[in-house]
Amino acid sequence: MMETLHRYGPDLLTGFGFTLLSWALGTVLGLALGFVIEIARRFGPRALGYPIRAYVEFIRGTPFLVQLFVLYYGGPLIGLRLDALPAGILGLTIYGSAYFTEILRAGFDAVPLGQIEAARAIGFRNTTIVMRIMVPVMMVSALPALVNFAIILTKETVILSMITVPEIMFQTQTMMSETFAFVTPILILALFFWGFIETISRFGRRLERRFTHYLIDRT
Amino acid sequence: MTNQQTAPASAHLRNVCKFYGPFQALKDVSLDIPPGKVTCLIGPSGSGKSTLLRCINVLEMYDSGEVRIDDQLIGYDSPGGKPMAPRRLREMRREIGMVFQQFNLWPHMTALQNVTEGLERVRGLSRAEAQSRAREALAKVGLADKESNHPSHLSGGQLQRVAIARAIAMEPRIMLFDEPTSALDPELVGEVLGVMKQLAAEGMTMVVVTHEMGFAAHVADRVVFMERGEIVATGSPREVFDAPSDPRLASFLQGYRERNSLDF
Ligand SMILES: Nc1ncnc2c1ncn2[C@@H]1O[C@H](COP(=O)(O)OP(=O)(O)OP(=O)(O)O)[C@@H](O)[C@H]1O
Ligand SMILES: [Mg+2]
């Protein structure tokens, strides 16, 4: 077993790296795109409402694997020729954006209208209202759901192995097919995800405390 | 010039109509709000008092007619024209303070931050300047010692006084109050009305929607009675309360007196 670890260790580390990279970029970019979509829906022309809903429903209504294949194998048909890694990250971004935008929508909806009107009455511009009032107030209710979806995304990253992104699943499969050992690779994979997700949860709880500190009785 | 900008403003409504879908909430309302005076709006629930108030700073966009602050049209570019550019509307709103029934403080900010936010982001003051002005405003409403409390750690009366401080720190030339004491426990009403009386004594133009007939009777210069989207009667507190000429006003006051078994 030590021998296999020795042999596959570097590949596994590389795999960890690619998994972390795809997850981090997919999450950050997905959240950013989801935010932009939600702002467009809220403040943009009414005509955007329908296409945005169609986009969200399409993404949420199809498996990530299918979306990824469409992007990676279908993309070249419309001139979008991407390497596996960028395709994977773009896929995660698009997939994440649809869910993130819905979480943000519910969060923004829960911001009491009066708090927004108070800002409007004082003469705040919309961007200030969003960034200074709506986002911080919304975070109290939306953050657990955002963190939760970020955790779900960690597990979707394994699907990138299907388009040959050399992430952890891809490395594990290579290891399994070459050594015919199953228990060790699967155990390593499980341990990795467990540690990974535990770290995200902890970080999420810290963030939650930051956004809700004012609700907690400090006396 | 400076004097002009800080002098109390007047407001003028001309034939203002406001619809919510097919329902007409304001029917051809005309009203002059004199500068430096307290105008109280009274009337039964649903009569359009809040709607009228909110048309003055265009939190509700009126459908036709004219609303002016001094002689400046607000809401539209020109009478019957296009809605005013957002930037221009924001500029005009800086002159108009508003206090809400539900306080509407921002929960993630301390009392001090609630007041400095507008000074920094709208007035463009430096943090230090904003804080010193905010502290003055909080002292004025008697809350100098509560500046670092978040709203969750303030009583209703204190919340409303922070909200008043937030509005007056912007140095508005007219202040709108929408039932500022209706959400308060009875024993907390006095502290808020006290701050409002002080503002009135300083010569602020105030438009106050209220169910506090005592406040209207003692502090208002003019009382305006609304019913079903129309102004039915206006006059001095004496004229309105002691000798109501309109039968609807008389029956409204009668009902109020019966509910509260009070005399004023
Ligand atoms: N956003 C809205 N959509 C539809 N109808 C509305 C809306 N806001 C107010 N109305 C209606 O317009 C009428 C006037 O409402 P408004 O809030 O101005 O009354 P009010 O005199 O302030 O009453 P209250 O004393 O209960 O606050 C009411 O019949 C109300 O139902
Ligand atoms: Mg009202």
Side-chain angles (χ1 to χ4, degrees), chain B residues 65-76:
Chain B
E66 296 172 24
V67 178
R68 293 178 187 275
I69 305 297
D70 286 338
D71 53 356
Q72 307 245 35
L73 191 68
I74 185 168
Y76 292 94

Side-chain angles (χ1 to χ4, degrees), chain B residues 218-258:
Chain B
H218 292 117
V219 183
D221 297 289
R222 279 182 77 220
V223 178
V224 175
F225 173 68
M226 290 188 72
E227 200 191 59
R228 293 168 196 266
E230 288 175 300
I231 293 177
V232 172
T234 89
S236 69
R238 287 211 153 273
E239 290 162 344
V240 168
F241 293 119
D242 297 346
S245 51
D246 184 276
R248 286 167 289 181
L249 170 57
S251 94
F252 171 76
L253 292 173
Q254 172 84 25
Y256 181 83
R257 288 197 170 97
E258 276 163 16

Side-chain angles (χ1 to χ4, degrees), chain B residues 45-46 48-51 101 178-179 209 211:
Chain B
S45 183
K49 306 179 297 293
S50 298
T51 305
Q101 182 176 355
D178 194 353
E179 299 195 29
V209 174
H211 289 295

Side-chain angles (χ1 to χ4, degrees), chain B residues 162-241:
Chain B
V162 173
I164 294 174
R166 173 173 71 179
I168 61 178
M170 299 294 292
E171 300 186 328
R173 299 172 53 224
I174 176 169
M175 287 272 293
L176 313 175
F177 295 82
D178 194 353
E179 299 195 29
T181 59
S182 294
L184 298 177
D185 292 337
E187 74 271 20
L188 301 178
V189 167
E191 63 190 59
V192 171
L193 292 183
V195 169
M196 290 170 63
K197 280 181 197 162
Q198 182 192 335
L199 266 181
E202 287 169 12
M204 173 68 77
T205 307
M206 293 167 62
V207 189
V208 185
V209 174
T210 187
H211 289 295
E212 294 289 334
M213 295 303 154
F215 178 84
H218 292 117
V219 183
D221 297 289
R222 279 182 77 220
V223 178
V224 175
F225 173 68
M226 290 188 72
E227 200 191 59
R228 293 168 196 266
E230 288 175 300
I231 293 177
V232 172
T234 89
S236 69
R238 287 211 153 273
E239 290 162 344
V240 168
F241 293 119

Side-chain angles (χ1 to χ4, degrees), chain A residues 114-126 128 132-133 136-137 213-219, chain B residues 54 57 59 90 93-94 96 98 100 104-109 117-118 121-122 148 150 152-153 166 170:
Chain A
Q115 291 171 20
I116 297 166
E117 288 187 333
R120 243 184 230 143
I122 286 175
F124 285 69
R125 57 180 70 238
N126 280 343
T128 313
R132 299 287 303 174
I133 314 289
V137 172
H213 71 96
Y214 58 86
L215 296 174
I216 297 156
D217 207 336
R218 282 161 302 144
T219 48
Chain B
R54 293 160 59 85
N57 65 353
L59 280 184
R90 288 199 302 271
R93 278 178 173 158
R94 296 188 347 188
I96 310 170
M98 186 160 195
F100 302 83
N104 295 337
L105 292 182
W106 300 308
H108 55 300
M109 298 180 187
E117 189 67 12
R121 311 267 153 190
V122 177
S148 42
H150 280 90
S152 54
H153 292 80
R166 173 173 71 179
M170 299 294 292

Side-chain angles (χ1 to χ4, degrees), chain B residues 28-91:
Chain B
D28 237 14
V29 168
S30 295
L31 176 67
D32 289 306
I33 290 153
K37 305 274 191 220
V38 177
T39 304
C40 280
L41 295 182
I42 62 170
S45 183
S47 55
K49 306 179 297 293
S50 298
T51 305
L52 188 160
L53 198 70
R54 293 160 59 85
C55 282
I56 298 177
N57 65 353
V58 199
L59 280 184
E60 298 294 350
M61 183 63 148
Y62 53 99
D63 295 299
S64 64
E66 296 172 24
V67 178
R68 293 178 187 275
I69 305 297
D70 286 338
D71 53 356
Q72 307 245 35
L73 191 68
I74 185 168
Y76 292 94
D77 265 349
S78 57
K82 281 187 305 195
M84 162 181 253
R87 200 173 65 85
R88 178 84 187 103
L89 180 58
R90 288 199 302 271
E91 277 169 19

